[in-house]
Amino acid sequence: MRDAVGSFVGWPSDLIFPDAETPTRPTHKVGKGISRRFESVASQKEFPGRKLKSAAKDIPTTSGTKSQIMMRLEKMMDESDIMHWAIRSIDFDEGVFGAAHFEIIAKEDMQQLFEHDELGIAVIHTYIWYMYVTLMRGTELCNRFNFIAASRINATLITKNPTSVKNDLVDRFMAAGDNTTPSLYFLPFNSGNGGHWVLVAMDLSRLIVYYLDSLSGDWSKYPSMKKTVDAAIIKFRSKKNYRNRKDITWVRVQCPQQNNSVDCGFFVLRFMRDIIALNHIDIPKMYFEEYKSYSIAHLDEMKDELCQFIVDQRII
């Protein structure tokens, strides 16, 4: 398959596994297969917390209806070979996940946006890439916020090989520097087999793990995940010869709650978006005053941002 990267290849839908581990290609040149880069808003001299909001101002959105940019992207897709089971292989900036990473985009992934359906890993990762490019790249925010690929750390993989998952997590920590100053690692965690999404945000310097779940409950629902995260943090600090001054503290954040069965992925993306845009390492236990709840417009805004990004990147 490596030789096919960057080309459009027909692929049967029953051979696309959104929960499977996504390999990386360290020898592949980042950026190949994308004809034009989207100029980073983050390179402009603005206050970091304002950039995502300003980036979406020119995108008309009406809650409950499709925006102009979404209809434009949908039309582009209808006229492309992706409607006939072709796929797109997209290389991300290495800074997104700390190593070379590529993502496969197929018809089903785009329909998740158009139909407001449950989100899979490809859409989750592509919006993370969007946040990195438009908000973080070229700024000090790259030293404050880091992303962990959901395809490398999830319930399915932990069940199969917890030691390998723990080591992958340690490798991600090691790739980002010494971690002696406060910063957050965002892990969008999936319960497995296309299940529920939650956000785990780790501050390695202060041994704090924030848990954000748009449904009721806490990390006790995923004991193997907590055990793996704790073990990875301890192993990382041991490899760095850092003293463990205290136990790891987990904080259940009282974040906005979804009122249906499909919004968990959108909420996890919005959590990360808010935290980065507000430039907060400390996540208030009662969440942010600005975002006590999410409306349809909050989620539509993200969908339109991603649609615009996909158009600008010429992915379809």
Side-chain angles (χ1 to χ4, degrees):
M1 183 173 177
R2 179 179 301 170
D3 294 335
V5 170
S7 61
F8 304 155
V9 183
W11 197 260
S13 60
D14 60 343
L15 293 181
I16 297 174
F17 303 98
D19 289 315
E21 179 178 350
T22 301
T24 56
R25 299 172 298 168
T27 59
H28 197 282
K29 183 180 178 182
V30 176
K32 186 177 180 181
I34 300 175
S35 55
R36 184 167 66 89
R37 284 287 177 191
F38 182 54
E39 183 179 355
S40 174
V41 179
S43 65
Q44 301 173 14
K45 300 297 183 181
E46 300 178 359
F47 177 68
R50 295 174 185 161
K51 291 167 186 166
L52 272 176
K53 295 176 183 177
S54 63
K57 279 184 178 179
D58 297 328
I59 302 174
T61 302
T62 304
S63 298
T65 63
K66 291 183 178 180
S67 66
Q68 293 178 17
I69 186 60
M70 181 174 288
M71 290 188 291
R72 177 185 172 190
L73 180 58
E74 194 168 16
K75 185 175 186 295
M76 291 172 61
M77 195 183 81
D78 288 342
E79 296 172 350
S80 76
D81 58 352
I82 202 170
M83 290 299 294
H84 304 287
W85 310 112
I87 60 173
R88 300 292 188 270
S89 179
I90 309 161
D91 288 291
F92 286 14
D93 302 59
E94 289 193 12
V96 179
F97 295 122
H101 179 91
F102 78 95
E103 201 65 52
I104 299 296
I105 300 292
K107 173 183 175 181
E108 291 86 348
D109 303 308
M110 302 307 304
Q111 289 175 331
Q112 292 165 11
L113 279 181
F114 301 149
E115 300 172 11
H116 196 95
D117 203 351
E118 296 179 36
L119 297 184
I121 284 177
V123 177
I124 295 287
H125 282 177
T126 306
Y127 190 82
I128 286 174
W129 182 32
Y130 158 76
M131 288 191 290
Y132 175 83
V133 169
T134 59
L135 185 63
M136 294 171 54
R137 190 169 65 186
T139 77
E140 75 283 357
L141 295 180
C142 286
N143 298 321
R144 293 173 62 79
F145 302 104
N146 303 277
F147 300 106
I148 299 168
S151 54
R152 307 291 295 180
I153 317 290
N154 56 60
T156 302
L157 295 180
I158 290 174
T159 300
K160 292 179 180 177
N161 194 337
T163 300
S164 176
V165 172
K166 178 188 70 176
N167 291 337
D168 278 348
L169 195 49
V170 172
D171 289 343
R172 178 65 183 102
F173 296 156
M174 296 292 290
D178 61 7
N179 294 286
T180 56
T181 57
S183 62
L184 285 180
Y185 286 83
F186 292 122
L187 168 61
F189 180 80
N190 191 269
S191 62
N193 298 317
H196 183 55
W197 289 99
V198 302
L199 179 63
V200 178
M202 295 160 272
D203 182 342
L204 304 185
S205 67
R206 294 182 293 183
L207 294 176
I208 298 174
V209 179
Y210 298 98
Y211 179 88
L212 294 86
D213 190 343
S214 56
L215 294 177
S216 60
D218 61 18
W219 52 84
S220 61
K221 294 189 292 186
Y222 311 111
S224 61
M225 178 272 289
K226 182 181 184 299
K227 181 179 179 181
T228 300
V229 168
D230 285 347
I233 293 174
I234 292 171
K235 182 174 180 179
F236 163 75
R237 293 183 65 85
S238 176
K239 291 184 72 170
K240 285 289 191 176
N241 294 318
Y242 298 153
R243 289 186 300 171
N244 291 319
R245 304 180 303 276
K246 58 181 180 178
D247 293 334
I248 300 169
T249 300
W250 283 67
V251 178
R252 167 72 158 101
V253 178
Q254 302 299 313
C255 53
Q257 299 289 284
Q258 66 188 84
N259 58 8
N260 58 32
S261 61
V262 301
D263 277 350
C264 56
F266 291 102
F267 274 55
V268 162
L269 294 176
R270 186 78 203 197
F271 294 153
M272 290 187 284
R273 183 191 191 278
D274 292 346
I275 294 165
I276 296 170
L278 294 172
N279 197 9
H280 270 270
I281 299 298
D282 295 309
I283 305 175
K285 189 172 182 179
M286 301 306 294
Y287 205 54
F288 303 109
E289 287 295 330
E290 296 92 332
Y291 300 108
K292 287 297 185 181
S293 63
Y294 293 148
S295 65
I296 294 176
H298 284 115
L299 307 187
D300 284 348
E301 182 180 25
M302 293 193 307
K303 289 190 290 185
D304 289 344
E305 288 168 346
L306 185 52
C307 287
Q308 184 69 63
F309 184 69
I310 290 171
V311 169
D312 290 334
Q313 292 285 339
R314 299 179 182 175
I315 292 173
I316 301 302

